[in-house]
Amino acid sequence: MAAPRDRVAHLLRQLQRAACQCPSHSHTYSQAPGLSPSGKTTDYAFEMAVSNIRYGAGVTKEVGMDLQNMGAKNVCLMTDKNLSQLPPVQTVMDSFVKNGINFKVYDNVRVEPTDRSFLEAIEFARRGAFDAYVAMGGGSTIDTCKAANLYASSPDSDFLDYVNAPIGKGKPVTVPLKPLIAVPTTSGTGSETTGVAIFDYERLKVKTGIASRAIKPTLGLIDPLHTLYMPERVIANSGFDVLCHALESYTALPYHMRSPCPANPISRPAYQGGNPISDIWAVHALRIVAKYLKRAVRNPDDLEARSNMHLASAFAGIGFGNAGVHLCHGMSYPISGLVKTYKAKDYNVDHPLVPHGLSVVLTSPAVFTFTAQMSPEHHLEMAEILGADTRTARIPDAGPVLADTLRKFLFDLDVDDGLAAIGYSKADIPALVKGTLPQERVTKLAPRPQSEEDLSALFEASMKL
């Protein structure tokens, strides 16, 4: 048993030591901000975009009044087949009826959507000629509804027009969209706050998405009562997504080091790089995760813990929705997309499934060992928030300290023990690396550049936690 552990330790030491020694990368972030927009190779500005948010126990009852206030006459309610049988969806429909809102239900949302499932929802939206949308569910439902709204509002567009490059054309969204109200029922994606919609592109077996501030919901109704219907592993895996949103956005490449500098502000990406405002949201979200996630998982009736995790999801969404994520998410997309037979507990689906939050968190110890040298103070700060005693920690130890802290935190929550536990082996690493390479939208936000060899080592180090 010692040999595999020694190999992993060796890989992590190699990753930690293989530091680029150029002036930009050999010390904590210190590149000066740019001079001016003209002729500038890196960006010089960042902006904040977030949906309106309303929080409160029972706030879902207001959705019919919101639609009435908007003048909506023909509304699409999107959800999934499991949730459509539960009280939260009935609460929404009761509010529609009470306020005289005409609506149609689309409940064929796929958990971990694909381009095919997006296209089915888009076709429903186009046929329905809706003037407003309500998305009720987790990130899969909210993202599907964003895509349906976008393409129904832009009927002449090809599907790949708005999909992120290099898989799609990455065109800016210039058409006006209909109002979209998001009602999240999970505490993970933060999709109610962001202009991002993620899906599996089946032809290439990779995850990609659409990223534009134009597709963010008009309003997010965050009602903690819905979280009481979440099973234990759904709470845990959703919480892992919040955890990594906070960790990755707080360690992302600073916005003024991201290139290229946009020639027009419409081209400035939603994921801009680390910035002072996103940092505030990321750190606060991480503090909530540290305090409440274990309670929320262990006691389904702990409304205080589940309410706080619902808020943490939105807080982290505001952070990463404007800063971005990096390697944990970039590497997670092929982990989800290449799933073989693994079916997660507590997910009522008819297909193999690695939940998004699980696919993200399994690489986190290796990733933050790799990135720590670029901002060791941030990495030590996060380790301390998660419970580590960092008073005697040295700067070079930032990566291992955070990695060990994450392992303990994850094992306390009964996480699967690495990629091997969900069906992967060393033979799968080339395909996992190949699936990561197109994810430049996020991998280029890693504070430290990575080669294919680096990615291979990170996947190998993640086979067991």
Side-chain angles (χ1 to χ4, degrees):
M1 292 297 291
R5 285 200 297 270
D6 291 346
R7 170 69 176 153
V8 169
H10 173 69
L11 284 165
L12 290 174
R13 282 196 296 272
Q14 278 188 318
L15 290 168
Q16 192 182 5
R17 290 170 182 163
C20 175
Q21 295 301 314
C22 74
S24 295
H25 297 138
S26 59
H27 49 78
T28 301
Y29 307 136
S30 60
Q31 179 173 325
L35 303 174
S36 73
S38 56
K40 185 79 178 65
T41 58
T42 56
D43 212 338
Y44 66 99
F46 69 92
E47 59 185 271
M48 295 298 292
V50 64
S51 308
N52 291 330
I53 296 296
R54 186 182 306 147
Y55 173 88
V59 76
T60 305
K61 297 191 300 289
E62 298 183 358
V63 66
M65 288 182 278
D66 286 314
L67 292 165
Q68 196 178 62
N69 294 339
M70 293 172 182
K73 306 293 184 188
N74 182 29
V75 175
C76 173
L77 170 60
M78 282 203 177
T79 189
D80 64 59
K81 281 193 161 51
N82 292 325
L83 196 59
S84 66
Q85 308 302 315
L86 295 175
V89 169
Q90 190 60 52
T91 301
V92 169
M93 293 193 293
D94 288 347
S95 183
F96 287 173
V97 171
K98 183 178 179 180
N99 290 280
I101 302 297
N102 293 315
F103 67 97
K104 289 181 181 174
V105 177
Y106 182 83
D107 65 358
N108 205 32
V109 168
R110 189 181 195 271
V111 177
E112 301 297 337
T114 64
D115 51 328
R116 188 185 312 167
S117 73
F118 266 19
L119 287 166
E120 290 170 358
I122 290 164
E123 178 58 28
F124 182 86
R126 284 175 171 166
R127 286 200 315 267
F130 301 108
D131 59 6
Y133 295 82
V134 174
M136 179 155 216
S140 296
T141 297
I142 299 172
D143 287 4
T144 299
C145 199
K146 290 174 185 174
N149 187 12
L150 170 61
Y151 289 96
S153 301
S154 186
D156 297 328
S157 295
D158 180 73
F159 181 69
L160 289 178
D161 281 354
Y162 297 120
V163 173
N164 299 324
I167 292 169
K169 297 176 184 175
K171 289 183 177 179
V173 177
T174 56
V175 295
L177 273 63
K178 306 300 184 186
L180 191 166
I181 298 176
V183 190
T185 58
T186 62
S187 305
T189 66
S191 187
E192 69 276 7
T193 69
T194 72
V196 178
I198 301 296
F199 65 94
D200 282 307
Y201 190 50
E202 292 183 301
R203 188 164 66 84
L204 297 180
K205 291 191 173 180
V206 295
K207 258 190 166 57
T208 184
I210 302 160
S212 169
R213 294 177 185 87
I215 69 171
K216 72 181 188 300
T218 313
L219 173 65
L221 294 179
I222 303 176
D223 186 339
L225 297 181
H226 301 324
T227 65
L228 298 177
Y229 297 93
M230 291 172 65
E232 174 192 317
R233 295 324 298 169
V234 177
I235 278 279
N237 292 325
S238 300
F240 296 153
D241 200 18
V242 180
L243 171 68
C244 286
H245 285 158
L247 294 171
E248 291 173 74
S249 65
Y250 195 48
T251 55
L253 185 78
Y255 74 93
H256 58 76
M257 294 174 68
R258 194 201 75 252
S259 61
C261 181
N264 186 307
I266 198 173
S267 301
R268 181 168 284 114
Y271 286 4
Q272 303 160 96
N275 61 78
I277 302 178
S278 287
D279 285 354
I280 293 170
W281 292 101
V283 170
H284 190 54
L286 190 63
R287 292 189 189 281
I288 297 174
V289 170
K291 183 175 181 180
Y292 288 108
L293 179 55
K294 292 177 186 178
R295 279 176 50 183
V297 170
R298 290 169 181 163
N299 182 1
D301 298 320
D302 190 338
L303 183 58
E304 180 189 4
R306 292 198 167 197
S307 297
N308 274 281
M309 284 305 303
H310 216 31
L311 269 180
S313 176
F315 292 168
I318 296 168
F320 89 85
N322 292 283
V325 287
H326 54 82
L327 283 176
C328 294
H329 272 75
M331 294 168 67
S332 81
Y333 297 145
I335 293 170
S336 294
L338 297 172
V339 60
K340 300 172 184 177
T341 59
Y342 181 84
K343 282 190 178 180
K345 182 187 173 190
D346 290 341
Y347 289 79
N348 184 16
V349 293
D350 59 2
H351 54 274
L353 173 71
V354 180
H356 173 63
L358 180 62
S359 71
V360 167
V361 85
L362 290 179
T363 61
S364 61
V367 163
F368 293 110
T369 300
F370 177 75
T371 59
Q373 62 193 240
M374 306 311 298
S375 57
E377 294 87 354
H378 276 197
H379 286 67
L380 284 173
E381 182 182 355
M382 293 185 300
E384 184 178 19
I385 291 170
L386 290 172
D389 183 352
T390 61
R391 288 173 296 180
T392 59
R394 299 178 306 131
I395 290 295
D397 296 333
V401 168
L402 178 55
D404 286 344
T405 305
L406 283 168
R407 288 189 191 96
K408 182 179 186 307
F409 189 82
L410 297 177
F411 281 133
D412 283 349
L413 288 164
D414 299 320
V415 75
D416 296 79
D417 188 10
L419 299 180
I422 61 172
Y424 289 104
S425 70
K426 191 173 178 179
D428 297 307
I429 290 176
L432 292 167
V433 171
K434 183 181 177 183
T436 305
L437 294 177
Q439 310 301 333
E440 294 180 355
R441 179 181 65 94
V442 292
T443 57
K444 284 192 171 181
L445 287 173
R448 180 178 166 190
Q450 64 287 158
S451 64
E452 290 187 39
E453 291 74 21
D454 291 331
L455 291 172
S456 294
L458 288 167
F459 278 117
E460 186 170 349
S462 301
M463 285 293 162
K464 282 186 74 67
L465 288 183

